[in-house]
Amino acid sequence: MTLSRKVIVVAVSVLLICLLGSLNATPKTALWLDNLHWMSTISACLLLATLGYFRANPAHRACKRWFVAGTFAYFTGGVLWIFQILTHQTAFPAQSDIFYPLLGPCLIIGFITALRSQLSRAKAWAFTIDALSFSVAVLGYVLISYLPKSADVSLLQLAVLTAYPASMLSAALVSLLLIPYLRPAWMMPWLLLCAGLTLQGICWMQWNLNALNHSPQTSLWINYGFSVADLLIGSGLYGWQVRIAKKTAFHRQCRRLRSWIPVIAFVFSISTLLLIWWQSGPHPYAYHIAIGSVTSILIFSAVRQSILLRESEKLLRAEKRLAEKELEYQQLSRSDPLTRLPNRLAMLNLLEHAIINAANDSGMVALLMIDLKHFQSINDSFGHRTGDLFLLEVAQRLQYITNDCGELGRVHGDKFALIVTRHKTDAELVHLAHNLCKIVHKPVLAEGHELILDACIGISLYPRDASNADQLARNANTALAHAKRSTQHLFLFYCKEQTKLAQNRFRLDVQLRKAIKKQEFFLQFQPIFTLSKQGQPRVANIEALIRWRNNKGDIISPAEFIPYAEQSGLILPIGEWVLSEAFQHLSALIHKHGHTVGLSINISPRQFRDHSLPVRISQLLQQYAIPPRYITLEITESAVFEHEEQALDILKQLKALGVRVSLDDFGVGNSSLFKLKRLPIDELKIDRAFMVDVPDSAADSEIVSTIVKTAGILGISVVVEGIETQAQLDFLRDTGCDCMQGFLLGRPMPIAEIQHLLSSAQNAASNAKTEFLM
């Protein structure tokens, strides 16, 4: 049992015992029993208020401090009353009458303190005025109904007589008024406190009237009503807390109730006037009290109305500013903040209206999506301020050309959209697109830098390509994507095949991601041969080649998925898997089966540009204990010469590891002897395109022969791929080529067949050596 419950149980026990003892007690004994249960319940009230202070949230202790102060003043009045009984002091008013009424004002101050911590200043003032007007109205009503029942009293006696009901009943009313303002989640402590204060006020009214009229003060309901009220007040103060309810319906009811508070105060004032009119021979002070209370209520109502008007003016000003801001935000939401052109949302609305008008007039709408190629390089190289200035200049140029033919907008970053409704033929649109590309390509001077970029344009037409705005925009973006990938066209019209290709790319993306997760890839190895002294091919290297078996069991060619994987970035996890898997197979060949064979691995351009590649190769060499000289990394010309300085740095790091570097697809890129001389490479791999017509084509034969001789001069070995005929093999034998690869010599095969091939070659060499010794 908690301490608070123990206090209540003890106080109730004392109260019941005294009640039973008072039934047949003498007046003197009953008086002492009354004082006993009064003192016990007053002490319990003080103790419960103190316990409530210590259990309260620190943020709410400021108001609870006033609760403790009020109950302490009330306790002090009780102690002085006992002293009066012991000293037989019967004067009215007495010292105890100073402290008893302080309970109400202290509680009211605590209530207002709690209110100010939860509500705005204006609402707190509104509540304070409502509480004052309510208290004055109730006070006037009580006094008018109270004074005629009393004998003639002095002003001091009237003040004391007024203080008791005004203190207790006002505190009870303020407690009730707080409910619609603070919207408490737990109502029981509030109701207990209000009931206790109301009962306390009524009991004190009757007690004082009896004292003034020299009537007996032994009524049980009055005497024990004090004690019951004390316990109700103490229990309410113990559990009283500010915790706002979460139900929105309750909040709405509280707001409606707040609007009725001034009306209720006015009703009390009218009731006071009616009581004066009904009473015959009212008390001399009645008219003054009535006039004072009504006047005070009118003043409070005027003050409250002025506060509300001031708040309404503030609210109107805030609403006006909000409306202005909303209009500004709407304008900003529909225009691009940099170029002041319509943004994507505005362009979509304009496009919808253009399509509706075209449908009514049987007209045509063309949508041109304009993108600036490699614009990000400007931001990366010169900063976003230079990029913004470039975009502003391009936007002004585009506006100049498109001013008479349609609506121009900036829909995203470096992408613009043009809605055209006046051009009727494809030829006119081609002419417009050509002019747009031409004007964008002109140099732009920004921040002292001369900048030149190309534009790509995708064109979609209504109603030929689409039936609504969304579909038209999607098709224009599809055509733009194809134009950006194209190396021949800066602008393209939309066609249905482009959507099919885009859908295929999307499906391929999904399938590739699933394949990476489910590990649907596997490796095959194609042998690379060198010629022995007797001119016979011998396996010198094996090249790791990736294959993909999808969930249907079909083998998908690398030519179908590698280009897209390179473009989408999925080549990085795929390339990482190839490296790890290839190293693992080579380690097994070397350490388990004793075959000394090299391994060639293709490195994609995106993978080669990854600065972590040398670190990863070093980790794999250490993990599988493979000598670096056995590893050859095949890198395409485009990957090397696209960013030469960066490529040169990575090549030097790879060479420092001891691995070999091969320049793949040599001859089809933009390489030159000067560039070749600078690169730290070990091998050239001549593209199969040069071997198709060898030896029938004298020109191709001469090219291959020259490359082989030039590489020999530079100290670089040569691998020729695409050997499919015996004539090609004989030609390469005559030219002195180092290594060769092709279907004639060996197709891609599983690692088990490679192992068998190496074992057969090893056994053949061993037998030949034995025969030679014999």
Side-chain angles (χ1 to χ4, degrees), residues 118-307:
Q118 297 295 319
L119 300 182
S120 64
R121 185 177 180 181
K123 288 186 177 180
W125 273 112
F127 168 79
T128 304
I129 292 172
D130 286 341
L132 286 173
S133 61
F134 228 106
S135 300
V136 170
V138 173
L139 178 62
Y141 179 80
V142 169
L143 290 179
I144 294 302
S145 60
Y146 185 31
L147 289 176
K149 299 177 183 179
S150 64
D152 292 336
V153 293
S154 65
L155 285 175
L156 179 61
Q157 290 176 330
L158 178 63
V160 174
L161 195 66
T162 306
Y164 278 97
S167 168
M168 304 303 173
L169 295 179
S170 296
L173 287 171
V174 172
S175 176
L176 279 177
L177 287 177
L178 273 178
I179 292 176
Y181 278 92
L182 292 182
R183 311 177 299 278
W186 190 27
M187 295 283 293
M188 184 56 66
W190 298 66
L191 297 178
L192 290 176
L193 180 59
C194 182
L197 289 171
T198 303
L199 180 59
Q200 189 79 263
I202 294 172
C203 290
W204 275 115
M205 286 173 61
Q206 190 60 46
W207 176 276
N208 288 338
L209 281 175
N210 291 344
L212 288 172
N213 295 323
H214 306 288
S215 300
Q217 303 176 21
T218 56
S219 174
L220 281 179
W221 79 266
I222 295 177
N223 294 342
Y224 287 91
F226 283 120
S227 295
V228 172
D230 294 340
L231 291 177
L232 290 175
I233 293 171
S235 300
L237 293 178
Y238 174 79
W240 195 93
Q241 57 182 328
V242 182
R243 190 173 62 188
I244 299 176
K246 296 181 179 179
K247 295 182 179 179
T248 55
F250 178 62
H251 289 195
R252 287 196 297 268
Q253 293 173 358
C254 289
R255 283 195 296 270
R256 284 196 294 266
L257 185 59
R258 286 202 300 266
S259 63
W260 284 95
I261 291 175
V263 177
I264 299 173
F266 180 74
V267 168
F268 270 103
S269 300
I270 298 298
S271 301
T272 302
L273 296 176
L274 291 175
L275 277 176
I276 294 176
W277 181 65
W278 283 340
Q279 290 173 356
S280 58
H283 194 277
Y285 299 126
Y287 291 111
H288 303 291
I289 293 171
I291 293 173
S293 63
V294 172
T295 304
S296 300
I297 290 172
L298 290 175
I299 293 173
F300 289 144
S301 298
V303 174
R304 188 180 192 275
Q305 191 66 21
S306 67
I307 293 175

Side-chain angles (χ1 to χ4, degrees), residues 631-677:
I631 301 298
T632 300
L633 302 180
E634 296 187 5
I635 302 165
T636 61
E637 280 189 78
S638 59
V640 173
F641 295 117
E642 186 174 352
H643 303 283
E644 292 188 39
E645 297 299 326
Q646 177 185 350
L648 190 61
D649 181 58
I650 295 177
L651 287 174
K652 289 178 180 179
Q653 295 182 50
L654 293 174
K655 290 297 296 178
L657 296 176
V659 299
R660 301 177 75 252
V661 177
S662 174
L663 194 62
D664 198 8
D665 298 336
F666 181 76
V668 297
N670 58 354
S671 59
S672 65
L673 290 177
F674 176 74
K675 292 181 179 179
L676 196 63
K677 179 182 177 182

Side-chain angles (χ1 to χ4, degrees), residues 690-761:
F690 291 101
M691 291 301 300
V692 173
D693 297 324
V694 172
D696 299 331
S697 171
D700 288 348
S701 301
E702 187 62 30
I703 290 173
V704 172
S705 177
T706 302
I707 292 175
V708 172
K709 292 176 181 178
T710 304
I713 294 172
L714 295 175
I716 302 173
S717 62
V718 176
V719 176
V720 180
E721 57 182 353
I723 309 304
E724 298 183 358
T725 65
Q726 185 63 41
Q728 292 172 340
L729 178 62
D730 294 339
F731 170 79
L732 292 176
R733 184 185 291 114
D734 295 337
T735 58
C737 179
D738 300 306
C739 298
M740 54 204 69
Q741 181 182 19
F743 287 177
L744 177 68
L745 302 172
R747 290 176 174 270
M749 60 189 72
I751 191 65
E753 295 185 20
I754 289 291
Q755 180 186 339
H756 177 72
L757 179 65
L758 293 174
S759 299
S760 300

